[in-house]
């Protein structure tokens, strides 16, 4: 990845007038919010890196962490750059701390020093813990063993086969791959189950981005200015055979390539951290064998982006990163509701790894060759407030809207129209019809209040269900249909969300769980919500999203394309394309009453042909996959056209 000439984050502000460690520690402890504290981490690290500081102010943060663990975790990140014996001794002690998060961050931090024999055994113990700790310990062990191969015999013992494998040098490939005239593009997507037919996009922790990236790979591969486009994901055995295949075509020049690493079964995003080393080795081998590549496009603060960015740096493959204020906006929202506090931050951090992921995103901002922004209201202000990033300060930032396949929407509508006229009824429409028919007769011929997506806490399904179930007028006016999730074999996260849905429903009639469906089936359900099924499902339904925020909202765009009025988060991308109280309602989705106000508005607007036409026209004209692919293809080649990469 390129090294920008000018930083656009807080590190640009670090200079000789930066406060000393003791002063910065006081400022961090007094920060009014978690996000405000996180924004001070880069400056804290800069002070530790460039000064000959006494680490005792950092020790104080670590020792006094019982009621406020966040500064302690930040202190470890800074401690990695304090080059004194006292700092090294403290890091060694922290490797055996009772708090696993402390151990994990200390394991990664100590890897920034020369190998320390006293640290080896604790690192090996952390490596054996599994999960996130395995990755953090292995990052250090891998670095030390490759730089100092004699470390094993100096320790006086033997290394396991696993550690010997880690000590091997990574595969080597051509330097400066982009300089070869290559027109190959790689996207990395490790979450969910990915296939050309999008048969499992809404189960597990997949979602709309699977639909987007498969379609985008097809569009990019078909372009004359792109030779080949690859969507690189993980092979999953034990489900449908296609998910275990090493390669699958999505169209001319477009391919899904699946890497085989870790256990055979499905892994969630959080479970994948432990297999970073295998992922990195497999991905690097793939990029060398299929390369050279013009660019690699990354999108998430996850293990796939972490591994791919490291490889891209070694192989000098230009990186395009789609930037969202995540996890920063998630933290801010959870803190605003009271769910996340300074006192319980440790519990959240152990599960979500907020600090590590926030630092990863900031690294991508500093080092990616190009940064893609999604359209969103108050773009510059939000990035400044949440991340100290000025998106107007560099020409590396470019706003590109995501797109949908409008042809799928039109085909689905035509199929439902034909079915209502006596033609063949698509299977998912028949199943939905039977589920509604099984409801009490008083629920027949009601319109649908529809939502679609993965069963994740961030989707706010419990609030959405509460808004519907807790208001007799709303409950009597709509049946609520939730599309998404694996109902037969749910993950632990899906089980938790299903429990919260049932609790919020309060046994009210009219709730239909349709489970995860393919992209084309979701389009058919949206068409059914709009057109209805005579005597069973009323026409002119409504689409609703209960998410606290949506970075863009592909399902929302597709629902508008189907002609449905939409109730959507006012935070994030939807505000840039939803005309409030015309094509949709921009709601405070954390407020149950505002969700109900949105439903009340939609109940009056749902029969408007003018509104439905405006939504369809907007989607068809402005949010197509082909337009998105065209914008991205130009971005991938922009540097070659002479644009600055400041």
């Amino acid at each position: 990845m390129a090294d920008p000439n000018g930083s656009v984050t807080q590190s640009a502000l670090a200079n000789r007038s930066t406060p000393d460690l003791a002063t910065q520690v006081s400022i961090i402890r007094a920060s009014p919010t978690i996000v405000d504290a996180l924004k001070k981490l880069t400056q804290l690290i800069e002070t530790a890196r460039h000064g000959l500081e006494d680490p005792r102010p950092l020790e104080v943060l670590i020792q006094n962490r019982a009621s406020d663990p966040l500064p302690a975790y930040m202190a470890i990140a800074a401690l990695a750059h304090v080059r004194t014996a006292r700092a090294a001794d403290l890091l060694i002690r922290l490797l055996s701390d009772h708090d696993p998060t402390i151990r994990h961050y200390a394991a990664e931090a100590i890897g920034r020093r020369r190998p320390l024999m006293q640290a080896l055994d604790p690192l090996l113990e952390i490596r054996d813990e599994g999960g996130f700790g395995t990755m953090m310990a292995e990052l250090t062990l891998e670095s030390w063993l490759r730089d100092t191969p004699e470390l094993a015999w100096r320790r006086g013992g033997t290394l396991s086969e696993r550690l010997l494998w880690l000590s091997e040098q990574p595969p080597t490939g051509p330097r400066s791959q982009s300089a070869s005239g290559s027109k190959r593009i790689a996207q990395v997507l490790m979450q969910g189950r990915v296939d050309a037919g999008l048969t499992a996009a809404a189960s597990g922790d997949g979602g709309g981005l699977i639909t987007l990236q498969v379609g985008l790979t097809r569009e990019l591969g078909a372009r004359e200015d792109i030779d080949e486009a690859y969507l690189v994901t993980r092979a999953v055995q034990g489900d449908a055979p296609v998910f275990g295949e090493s390669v699958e075509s999505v169209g001319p020049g477009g391919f899904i390539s699946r890497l085989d690493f870790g256990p055979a079964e499905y892994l969630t995003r959080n479970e994948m951290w432990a297999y970073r080393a295998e992922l990195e080795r497999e991905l690097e081998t793939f990029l060398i064998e299929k390369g050279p590549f013009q660019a690699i496009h990354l999108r998430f603060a996850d293990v796939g982006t972490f591994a791919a960015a490291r490889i891209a740096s070694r192989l000098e493959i230009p990186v395009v990163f789609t930037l969202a204020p995540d996890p920063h906006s998630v933290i801010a929202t959870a803190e605003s509701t009271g769910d996340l506090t300074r006192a319980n931050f440790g519990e959240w951090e152990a599960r979500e790894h907020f600090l590590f992921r926030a630092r990863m995103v900031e690294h991508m901002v500093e080092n990616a060759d190009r940064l893609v922004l999604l359209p969103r209201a108050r773009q510059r202000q939000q990035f400044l407030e949440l991340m100290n990033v000025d998106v107007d300060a560099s020409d590396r930032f470019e706003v590109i809207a995501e797109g949908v396949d409008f042809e799928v929407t039109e085909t689905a509508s035509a199929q439902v129209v034909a079915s209502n006229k006596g033609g063949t009824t698509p299977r998912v429409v028949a199943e939905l019809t039977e589920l509604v028919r099984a409801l009490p007769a008083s629920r027949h011929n009601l319109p649908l209040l529809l939502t679609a997506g993965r069963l994740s806490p961030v989707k706010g399904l419990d609030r959405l269900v509460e808004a519907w179930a807790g208001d007799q007028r709303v409950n009597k006016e709509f049946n609520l249909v939730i599309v998404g999730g694996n109902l037969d074999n749910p993950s632990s996260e899906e089980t938790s969300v299903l429990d919260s849905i049932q609790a919020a429903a309060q046994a009210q009639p009219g709730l239909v769980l349709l489970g995860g469906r393919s992209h084309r089936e979701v389009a058919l359900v949206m068409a059914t919500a709009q057109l209805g099924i005579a005597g069973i499902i009323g026409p002119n339904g409504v689409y609703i999203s209960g998410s606290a925020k949506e970075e863009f909202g592909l399902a929302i765009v597709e629902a508008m394309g189907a002609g449905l009025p939409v109730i959507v988060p006012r935070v994030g991308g939807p505000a840039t394309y939803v005309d409030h109280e015309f094509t949709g309602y921009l709601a405070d989705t954390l407020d149950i009453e505002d969700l109900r106000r949105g439903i009340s508005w939609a109940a009056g607007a749902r029969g408007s042909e003018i509104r439905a036409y405006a939504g369809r026209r907007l989607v068809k004209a402005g949010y197509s996959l082909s337009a998105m692919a065209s914008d991205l293809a130009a971005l991938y080649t922009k540097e070659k056209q002479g644009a600055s990469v400041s």
Side-chain angles (χ1 to χ4, degrees), residues 489-500:
N489 186 27
S491 67
S492 58
E493 181 177 78
E494 289 174 326
T495 298
S496 175
V497 171
L498 287 169
D499 289 344
S500 70

Side-chain angles (χ1 to χ4, degrees), residues 44-66:
L44 183 69
I45 291 173
E46 288 295 323
T47 301
R49 177 182 287 123
H50 297 297
L52 297 174
E53 295 281 353
D54 184 339
R56 277 177 288 189
L58 300 176
E59 290 184 62
V60 171
L61 286 181
I62 296 168
Q63 291 165 356
N64 299 330
R65 65 182 187 263

Side-chain angles (χ1 to χ4, degrees), residues 25-213:
V25 163
S26 298
I27 293 172
I28 289 169
R29 295 181 72 175
S31 297
T33 67
I34 291 171
V35 167
D36 191 61
L38 281 175
K39 288 195 294 185
K40 297 173 174 63
L41 176 59
T42 301
Q43 195 171 71
L44 183 69
I45 291 173
E46 288 295 323
T47 301
R49 177 182 287 123
H50 297 297
L52 297 174
E53 295 281 353
D54 184 339
R56 277 177 288 189
L58 300 176
E59 290 184 62
V60 171
L61 286 181
I62 296 168
Q63 291 165 356
N64 299 330
R65 65 182 187 263
S67 62
D68 191 6
L70 170 61
Y73 303 150
M74 295 172 63
I76 295 172
L79 196 63
H81 302 281
V82 179
R83 300 300 179 185
T84 65
R86 185 184 183 105
D89 290 342
L90 177 56
L91 282 172
I92 291 172
R93 292 200 304 274
L94 294 177
L95 293 174
S96 301
D97 195 89
H98 65 86
D99 180 347
T101 301
I102 292 284
R103 294 197 301 273
H104 300 165
Y105 283 135
E108 189 264 346
I110 206 166
R112 299 177 185 273
R113 317 180 85 85
R114 290 183 300 173
L116 298 167
M117 297 302 298
Q118 310 96 299
L120 279 181
D121 285 337
L123 284 170
L124 292 171
E125 291 176 6
I126 294 170
R127 185 255 164 252
D128 291 339
E129 290 179 11
F132 188 69
T134 291
M135 180 185 76
M136 298 296 261
E138 286 191 346
L139 285 168
T140 290
L141 290 167
E142 184 179 75
S143 173
W144 283 2
L145 289 168
R146 288 178 181 176
D147 291 344
T148 314
E150 69 274 16
L151 208 57
W153 63 259
R154 284 175 57 188
R155 175 173 171 261
T158 58
L159 293 180
S160 68
E161 187 174 317
R162 166 77 177 183
L163 293 177
L164 287 172
W165 177 78
L166 282 175
S167 70
E168 297 173 359
Q169 294 297 321
T172 58
R175 303 294 285 174
S176 300
Q177 285 203 16
S178 66
S180 66
S182 162
K183 293 182 180 180
R184 295 184 187 89
I185 304 299
Q187 303 178 85
V188 175
L189 173 65
M190 289 299 149
Q191 62 196 52
R193 301 171 179 85
V194 184
D195 71 318
L198 300 169
T199 59
S203 66
D205 53 6
L209 278 168
I210 292 179
T211 300
L212 172 74
Q213 290 190 250

Side-chain angles (χ1 to χ4, degrees), residues 517-536:
R517 299 289 169 159
S518 72
H519 180 230
R520 293 185 181 277
E521 288 177 315
V522 173
L524 284 163
V525 173
M526 288 181 175
T528 302
Q530 173 63 16
L531 298 167
I533 301 294
I536 300 297

Side-chain angles (χ1 to χ4, degrees), residues 396-432:
R396 291 184 302 127
F397 295 93
E398 187 154 340
V399 177
I400 296 178
E402 292 182 341
V404 298
D405 189 341
F406 192 72
E407 183 180 339
V408 172
T409 299
E410 290 185 310
T411 300
S413 295
Q415 288 180 282
V416 174
V417 167
S419 173
N420 280 334
K421 292 180 177 180
T424 302
T425 300
R427 185 180 66 177
V428 69
V429 176
E431 291 176 6
L432 174 60

Side-chain angles (χ1 to χ4, degrees), residues 444-501:
H444 294 174
N445 214 35
L446 294 181
L448 302 183
L449 183 63
L450 171 67
T451 191
R454 56 195 173 92
L455 297 185
S456 168
V458 302
K459 295 299 182 181
L461 292 171
D462 53 343
R463 295 189 299 272
L464 189 158
V465 173
E466 183 181 346
W468 167 80
D471 186 300
Q472 285 296 321
R473 179 182 55 81
V474 171
N475 179 258
K476 288 180 179 179
E477 192 160 7
F478 294 96
N479 288 322
L480 175 60
V481 175
I482 298 176
V483 182
N486 187 333
L487 303 184
D488 296 326
N489 186 27
S491 67
S492 58
E493 181 177 78
E494 289 174 326
T495 298
S496 175
V497 171
L498 287 169
D499 289 344
S500 70
I501 287 172

